[in-house]
C-alpha cells in the first residue's frame, strides 16, 4: 500500500507557485488510490511567525484553500500538525541519532541565515521535525517542490540511523517532485512570498490585473518576432491554457509582423484565464469562510485519524530505544 504525505506551512497567503507546485498534486492524488496524509505545518511556521493572530488566520487560510479546491477528506487525512504532538516526541528521538553535520548542511537553513534571519534552535532542528512528520505516518511518498528534496533525504538518513541502531521502526520515504517544479514570479525568479514576486491564488478583478501588470517584459515591439522562450509571460500562461491555445499564441509571437500580439494582449489573456481557472475555488472559499465550524470539524476528524497512526509509530520508537 502506498502512503503519501505532505505538509504546507501557514506562513502567508498562498500563491500560484504553492498551488501548481504543491496543492494541486495533493488534491488530485487521493483519487488514484493509496493512503494520503496532508497537513498544515503550524509547528514549523513557529520558526518564522511570532504573531498569534496572524498565525491563526493563516492556518485557517490553508485549511480553507485545500477544502476549496476539493480535497476529498474521506480519502485523505487532512489535519493540523500541532494536533499530533507525537511528532515532537519523534523529532526528539530522531535528533538523538543525528549528527550536527547533517543539519548544518541543510540548504534551506543556510539560505535563511544568509538572508539575515536570526536562527533559533527551532529553525536549526526544523528538518528533524519534518522527518518526524514524514516517518510518523509510515509514508513512502512525499510530494513536494524541489526545494524540499534535501529535507526528505535527511528524513531517509534519520530513519536509517535509527533503524540501524534499534531495528526496523521507520519506513524509508521517497521524494516525489512536482512536474511543475518551478512557477516563476513576476520578476522571473522562482515565485515565492519571500521574494515579494508572487500572485495570490485568489486574487481577482483589479487586484489580479494589477499583479499581472507587474510581470516583467521588455521593450521589444509586438511586430518584432520573438523566441517564445524569451517571454516570461508564456511560463505563466502555460499554467492555464490548453496546449493548442498556448501553441497558437506562441506561433503568433514567434512570427511577429502586423497583428502579432503584444505583451498587453498576453497579459490580458493571462488575467482572464487565471480569473476563470480559480473562480470555482474562490466561490467555495467564500462559503467556507462563512462556516468556520465546518472547517474545525474537518480538522478535528483529520487529527483523530492522524493521531492514531502517529501514536502507534511513537510507541514503536519508544519501545525500540528503551524508553518502554
Ligand atoms: P514560499 O517560497 O512562497 O515561501 P513555501 O516554501 O512555503 O513557499 O512552499 C510551499 C509549497 O509550495 C512547497 O511544497 C513548495 O515546493 C511549493 N512552491 C513554492 N513556491 C513554488 C514555485 N514558485 N513553484 C513551484 N512550487 C512552489
Ligand atoms: N517544510 C515544508 C515546506 O516548507 C513543509 C513541511 C513540513 C513538510 N513537514 C513536512 C512537507 C513533511 C512534506 C513533508 O514546504
Amino acid at each position: 500500500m502506498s502512503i503519501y504525505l505532505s505538509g504546507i506551512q501557514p506562513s502567508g497567503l498562498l500563491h500560484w507557485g504553492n498551488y501548481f507546485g504543491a496543492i494541486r498534486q495533493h488534491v488530485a492524488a487521493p483519487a488514484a488510490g493509496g493512503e494520503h496524509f496532508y497537513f498544515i505545518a503550524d509547528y514549523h511556521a513557529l520558526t518564522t511567525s511570532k504573531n498569534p493572530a496572524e498565525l491563526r488566520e493563516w492556518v485557517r487560510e490553508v485549511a480553507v484553500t485545500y477544502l476549496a479546491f476539493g480535497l476529498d477528506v474521506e480519502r485523505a487525512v487532512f489535519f493540523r500538525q500541532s494536533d499530533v504532538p507525537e511528532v515532537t516526541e519523534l523529532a526528539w528521538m530522531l535528533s538523538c541519532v543525528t549528527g550536527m553535520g547533517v543539519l548544518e548542511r541543510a540548504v534551506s537553513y543556510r539560505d535563511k541565515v544568509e538572508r539575515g534571519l536570526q536562527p533559533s534552535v527551532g529553525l536549526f532542528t526544523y528538518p528533524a521535525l519534518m522527518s518526524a512528520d514524514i516517518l510518523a505516518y509510515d509514508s513512502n511518498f512525499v510530494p513536494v517542490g524541489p526545494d524540499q528534496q534535501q529535507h526528505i533525504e535527511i528524513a531517509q538518513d534519520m530513519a536509517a540511523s535509527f533503524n540501524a541502531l534499534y531495528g526496523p521502526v521507520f519506513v524509508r520515504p521517497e521524494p516525489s517532485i512536482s512536474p511543475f517544479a518551478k512557477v516563476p514570479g513576476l520578476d522571473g525568479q522562482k515565485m515565492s512570498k519571500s521574494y515579494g514576486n508572487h500572485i495570490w491564488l485568489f486574487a481577482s478583478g483589479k487586484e489580479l490585473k494589477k499583479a499581472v501588470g507587474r510581470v516583467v517584459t521588455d521593450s521589444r515591439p509586438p511586430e518584432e518576432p520573438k523566441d517564445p522562450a524569451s517571454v516570461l509571460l508564456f511560463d505563466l500562461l502555460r499554467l492555464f491554457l490548453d496546449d493548442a491555445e498556448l501553441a497558437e499564441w506562441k506561433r503568433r509571437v514567434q512570427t511577429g509582423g502586423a497583428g502579432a500580439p503584444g505583451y498587453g494582449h498576453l497579459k490580458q489573456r493571462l488575467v482572464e484565464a487565471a480569473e476563470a481557472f480559480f473562480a470555482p475555488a474562490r466561490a467555495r472559499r467564500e462559503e467556507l469562510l462563512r462556516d468556520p465550524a465546518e472547517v474545525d470539524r474537518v480538522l478535528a476528524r483529520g487529527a483523530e485519524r492522524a493521531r492514531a497512526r502517529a501514536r502507534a509509530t511513537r510507541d514503536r520508537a519508544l519501545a525500540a530505544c528503551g524508553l518502554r
Side-chain angles (χ1 to χ4, degrees):
M1 172 74 121
S2 296
I3 304 180
Y4 298 80
L5 167 131
S6 195
I8 191 156
Q9 286 194 61
S11 47
L13 290 177
L14 298 163
H15 53 71
W16 289 3
N18 298 141
Y19 176 72
F20 289 102
I23 300 169
R24 183 163 77 162
Q25 281 67 250
H26 303 165
V27 170
E35 275 191 79
H36 296 262
F37 293 84
Y38 298 112
F39 66 94
I40 306 167
D42 56 350
Y43 276 143
H44 275 113
L46 267 193
T47 59
T48 46
S49 167
K50 301 290 180 270
N51 180 331
E54 201 172 67
L55 185 54
R56 251 178 236 120
E57 184 193 327
W58 287 343
V59 166
R60 182 144 306 258
E61 187 62 36
V62 176
V64 163
T65 300
Y66 271 80
L67 300 179
F69 283 107
L71 179 69
D72 179 343
V73 294
E74 291 308 315
R75 290 186 195 220
V77 180
F78 182 55
F79 61 104
R80 191 165 36 201
Q81 184 184 31
S82 63
D83 281 335
V84 187
E86 286 77 8
V87 294
T88 61
E89 300 179 62
L90 284 168
W92 178 253
M93 290 185 256
L94 292 167
S95 306
C96 292
V97 298
T98 305
M100 293 284 285
V102 173
L103 298 184
E104 277 161 358
R105 281 190 293 275
V107 177
S108 146
Y109 168 76
R110 294 200 339 221
D111 277 358
K112 286 180 180 151
V113 173
E114 269 166 35
R115 277 194 273 123
L117 204 76
Q118 273 293 328
S120 61
V121 175
L123 186 69
F124 183 69
T125 60
Y126 178 123
L129 180 59
M130 181 157 163
S131 300
D133 290 328
I134 294 170
L135 301 173
Y137 308 96
D138 302 327
S139 50
N140 13 48
F141 296 105
V142 187
V144 284
D147 53 319
Q148 295 297 322
Q149 174 148 0
Q150 192 191 25
H151 288 151
I152 295 163
E153 289 162 4
I154 292 175
Q156 293 173 334
D157 286 353
M158 289 188 168
S161 307
F162 193 97
N163 289 352
L165 266 169
Y166 300 123
V169 169
F170 296 119
V171 173
R172 179 185 163 90
E174 298 296 340
S176 132
I177 303 299
S178 146
F180 271 108
K182 252 193 202 164
V183 174
L186 302 172
D187 55 358
Q189 282 196 78
K190 177 194 141 144
M191 184 178 286
S192 168
K193 61 188 168 292
S194 25
Y195 304 148
N197 63 355
H198 53 297
I199 302 183
W200 180 42
L201 257 184
F202 295 111
S204 166
K206 271 193 196 144
E207 187 184 4
L208 176 61
K209 222 169 149 179
K210 199 168 148 202
V212 168
R214 289 171 54 216
V215 175
V216 167
T217 54
D218 51 46
S219 56
R220 290 176 293 174
E223 58 277 14
E224 182 179 328
K226 301 175 196 72
D227 176 2
S230 70
V231 178
L232 173 60
L233 281 161
F234 281 125
D235 294 318
L236 295 169
L237 279 164
R238 86 183 166 104
L239 304 171
F240 303 104
L241 302 189
D242 61 39
D243 292 349
E245 185 183 348
L246 184 66
E248 178 59 13
W249 283 102
K250 284 187 175 175
R251 189 193 61 73
R252 292 172 62 203
V253 165
Q254 194 156 25
T255 311
Y263 295 132
H265 291 109
L266 298 179
K267 286 186 173 179
Q268 194 184 338
R269 183 67 191 109
L270 180 58
V271 168
E272 285 164 14
E275 184 88 50
F277 185 90
F278 291 120
R282 198 182 300 119
R284 181 81 187 107
R285 171 176 176 273
E286 296 297 324
E287 282 170 27
L288 288 160
L289 286 175
R290 285 195 293 271
D291 190 2
E294 165 65 9
V295 178
D296 290 342
R297 196 189 58 75
V298 168
L299 290 177
R301 168 91 183 104
E304 209 178 292
R305 292 164 74 194
R307 215 170 165 190
R309 178 70 61 91
R311 208 180 278 131
T313 312
R314 189 263 330 254
D315 290 347
R316 239 170 33 232
L318 283 174
C321 65
L323 295 181
R324 288 292 179 277

